[in-house]
Amino acid sequence: MTEWKMDPALLSTALSDTTTAFESLSTVITEEKITAIFGGLTWGGGVTACVSQALNEVLAEQQSINMATISNHVAAGIYGVGNAARALQEGQEEMAATFQAEMVGSAGDGDFTYFEQHGYQGQ
């Protein structure tokens, strides 16, 4: 069996790069911008206008939901992996497992309260 070893410097760099990319993504792709893009679908007049409007509303709603899901998963990964790695580094395997479980939950519901209350705060 091969023993797994964590390289804290590489992990820190990966999490930092992910955080930077995520922050850039969250400012570029917003619900307002997506809505504006899909607003172009209302080009049809008369009979086709209602079809374009309905399609626009469905796409805008789905994009909004999908963006929230993507954002929750990325943020949960950053918090969960960072905290679990820190706990492992300090020999706290049970706490690392708890952080992993909380990561999965927060990815699903967007509630990061656990990490705010119990996560490592840059110490």
Side-chain angles (χ1 to χ4, degrees), residues 88-105:
L88 283 174
Q89 196 173 23
E90 295 184 7
Q92 300 172 349
E93 291 182 21
E94 189 174 317
M95 193 64 195
T98 300
F99 281 129
Q100 290 175 339
E102 291 295 330
M103 174 181 65
V104 172

Side-chain angles (χ1 to χ4, degrees), residues 13-25:
T13 298
L15 288 173
S16 179
D17 290 350
T18 302
T19 300
T20 300
F22 176 62
E23 288 170 352
S24 296
L25 177 66

Side-chain angles (χ1 to χ4, degrees), residues 3-113:
E3 184 178 323
W4 181 80
K5 294 186 181 185
M6 177 178 47
D7 183 336
L10 288 176
L11 181 59
S12 178
T13 298
L15 288 173
S16 179
D17 290 350
T18 302
T19 300
T20 300
F22 176 62
E23 288 170 352
S24 296
L25 177 66
S26 65
T27 60
V28 171
I29 302 177
T30 64
E31 185 175 347
E32 292 81 20
K33 289 181 181 179
I34 291 170
T35 300
I37 291 168
F38 288 127
L41 293 174
T42 58
W43 53 266
V47 176
T48 63
C50 62
V51 174
S52 298
Q53 182 178 355
L55 182 57
N56 178 38
E57 290 173 11
V58 168
L59 292 175
E61 178 183 331
Q62 286 303 310
Q63 287 300 326
S64 175
I65 292 168
N66 290 337
M67 285 308 300
T69 300
I70 291 167
S71 294
N72 287 344
H73 280 73
V74 172
I78 292 168
Y79 289 130
V81 170
N83 282 288
R86 177 79 181 264
L88 283 174
Q89 196 173 23
E90 295 184 7
Q92 300 172 349
E93 291 182 21
E94 189 174 317
M95 193 64 195
T98 300
F99 281 129
Q100 290 175 339
E102 291 295 330
M103 174 181 65
V104 172
S106 63
D109 63 18
D111 181 3
F112 298 99
T113 305

